[in-house]
Amino acid sequence: METKDILSRRGIAPSLTRLKIYEYLRAASHPSVDEIYQNLKEEIPTLSKTTVYNTLHLFVEKDLAKALFTDFSKNRYDIKDVPHAHFHCTECDEIHDIHEITPPRIAEDAIEGYLAKEAQLTLKGVCPRCRRQNTNSQ
Amino acid sequence: METKDILSRRGIAPSLTRLKIYEYLRAASHPSVDEIYQNLKEEIPTLSKTTVYNTLHLFVEKDLAKALFTDFSKNRYDIKDVPHAHFHCTECDEIHDIHEITPPRIAEDAIEGYLAKEAQLTLKGVCPRCRRQNTNSQ
DNA sequence: AAATAAAACTGTAATGATTACAAGGGGGTG
DNA sequence: CACCCCCTTGTAATCATTACAGTTTTATTT
Ligand SMILES: [Mn+2]
Ligand SMILES: [Mn+2]
Ligand SMILES: [Zn+2]
Ligand SMILES: [Zn+2]
């Protein structure tokens, strides 16, 4: 399906800016607002960072994207897609998709009294590349 | 075990400030830096917010506490204790412990190439109190 | 095609969390 | 008492995010 249609079907007008932000988010790996902004402003020189914020908020509201849970100070975003876990490398701060492990599927009423909508599973540790570098430099 | 000993055995000098911060963190529910600061400065009028930051960083480094993964702008902290999941209410922004569900126990080498150290499982939705309020106000 | 209204986008300023850094202070050791 | 270490403090700088008002673009109506 075309990006244009993905946005339209969620009631989002498919402006050029929104298409580009959506496609960047889809292709990149859990980018921050600033990463999106820095990269797209080459193509769209008039782009404003506020627009990136606005657009991501819109995507999250319309359930096209989600903000990742992290413990560093800037948010990362991800396309809503097949469920998967995330691995947060504490050395390089990259976030990798882990499809071998999935967050448990929680029914909305699984926890007495609560209304559960979404589950995120995040692992923390050292990624393959950083492990290799550590070994080599010893 | 006394708080003093808990700190000492990790190689942390048990100063009054550190004891109080540790005990606040233990008793409170996933406080932010500012919450800890605001509450403790009644008892310790000379307390500096920098000290709260320093102390929490130290606790995390020494594996006494951990920073929670969230998608809002200020970090929340938790005592390292029995594994449990967290529920993040999108209405009131409170974080509740969920002991009925636990993050999967991941072996260090569970994912090919990675070194996994820790797993956090976070649910998102509406907490019981906010659900009741929503119903009442309709 | 001009007029109008709605929506999208921009730039700047304000806010808030976090970090950087340099200096103050207090207790133990010689 | 002098010295040192490390805990603590206060201020300034940095960075992410939000608030907001104004401008541009797009769609709709006349
Ligand atoms: Mn992902
Ligand atoms: Mn907890
Ligand atoms: Zn890495
Ligand atoms: Zn709530």
Side-chain angles (χ1 to χ4, degrees):
Chain A
M1 188 169 24
E2 296 219 8
T3 309
K4 194 193 289 191
D5 301 320
I6 296 174
L7 300 195
S8 299
R9 95 159 35 181
R10 303 271 175 164
I12 299 171
S15 69
L16 175 72
T17 312
R18 286 167 174 174
L19 290 172
K20 290 290 182 192
I21 291 177
Y22 183 87
E23 277 160 8
Y24 188 91
L25 183 57
R26 161 130 265 142
S29 172
H30 317 101
S32 65
V33 166
D34 195 59
E35 181 187 329
I36 297 173
Y37 172 70
Q38 295 300 338
N39 282 279
L40 286 184
K41 79 174 176 187
E42 294 168 17
E43 280 186 85
I44 315 172
T46 59
L47 183 64
S48 153
K49 199 179 274 190
T50 305
T51 299
V52 181
Y53 276 103
N54 291 340
T55 304
L56 287 171
H57 290 161
L58 183 67
F59 286 176
V60 170
E61 185 197 323
K62 301 293 188 184
D63 224 40
L64 277 180
K66 64 182 173 187
L68 296 187
F69 295 145
T70 70
D71 64 354
F72 35 62
S73 43
K74 55 179 159 182
N75 274 137
R76 304 282 185 86
Y77 290 86
D78 200 6
I79 284 284
K80 269 222 179 176
D81 213 328
V82 296
H84 56 274
H86 287 118
F87 190 98
H88 167 178
C89 176
T90 52
E91 311 251 328
C92 65
D93 274 348
E94 277 181 15
I95 295 181
H96 296 187
D97 287 339
I98 304 292
H99 290 281
E100 294 89 327
I101 303 175
T102 52
R105 193 178 305 267
I106 310 279
E108 281 207 339
D109 59 355
I111 310 146
E112 178 68 24
Y114 289 84
L115 174 64
K117 287 182 182 151
E118 187 198 323
Q120 278 191 41
L121 176 62
T122 311
L123 312 179
K124 213 168 159 170
V126 189
C127 78
R129 186 153 55 94
C130 291
R131 289 182 82 182
R132 260 180 269 121
Q133 285 187 354
N134 291 346
T135 320
N136 294 344
S137 61
Q138 269 164 17
Chain B
M1 188 168 25
E2 297 220 6
T3 308
K4 193 191 289 192
D5 301 320
I6 297 173
L7 301 195
S8 299
R9 98 165 25 186
R10 304 271 176 164
I12 300 172
S15 69
L16 174 72
T17 312
R18 287 167 173 174
L19 291 172
K20 290 291 181 189
I21 292 176
Y22 184 87
E23 277 160 8
Y24 189 92
L25 182 59
R26 162 129 264 143
S29 172
H30 316 102
S32 64
V33 166
D34 194 59
E35 180 188 329
I36 297 172
Y37 171 71
Q38 294 301 339
N39 281 279
L40 286 185
K41 79 174 175 185
E42 295 168 17
E43 280 187 84
I44 314 172
T46 59
L47 183 63
S48 152
K49 200 179 273 189
T50 304
T51 300
V52 180
Y53 276 104
N54 290 342
T55 305
L56 288 171
H57 289 161
L58 184 67
F59 286 175
V60 169
E61 185 197 324
K62 300 295 188 184
D63 223 40
L64 277 180
K66 64 181 173 188
L68 296 187
F69 295 146
T70 70
D71 63 355
F72 37 60
S73 43
K74 56 179 160 182
N75 273 138
R76 304 281 186 87
Y77 290 86
D78 200 6
I79 284 284
K80 271 224 180 174
D81 213 329
V82 295
H84 57 274
H86 287 117
F87 190 98
H88 166 179
C89 176
T90 52
E91 312 251 328
C92 66
D93 274 349
E94 277 181 14
I95 296 181
H96 295 187
D97 288 339
I98 304 291
H99 290 280
E100 294 89 327
I101 302 175
T102 51
R105 193 178 306 266
I106 311 280
E108 281 207 338
D109 59 354
I111 310 145
E112 179 67 26
Y114 289 84
L115 175 63
K117 287 182 183 152
E118 187 197 324
Q120 278 190 41
L121 176 61
T122 311
L123 312 179
K124 212 167 157 171
V126 189
C127 77
R129 186 153 56 94
C130 291
R131 289 183 82 183
R132 261 180 267 120
Q133 285 185 354
N134 291 346
T135 319
N136 295 344
S137 61
Q138 271 165 17

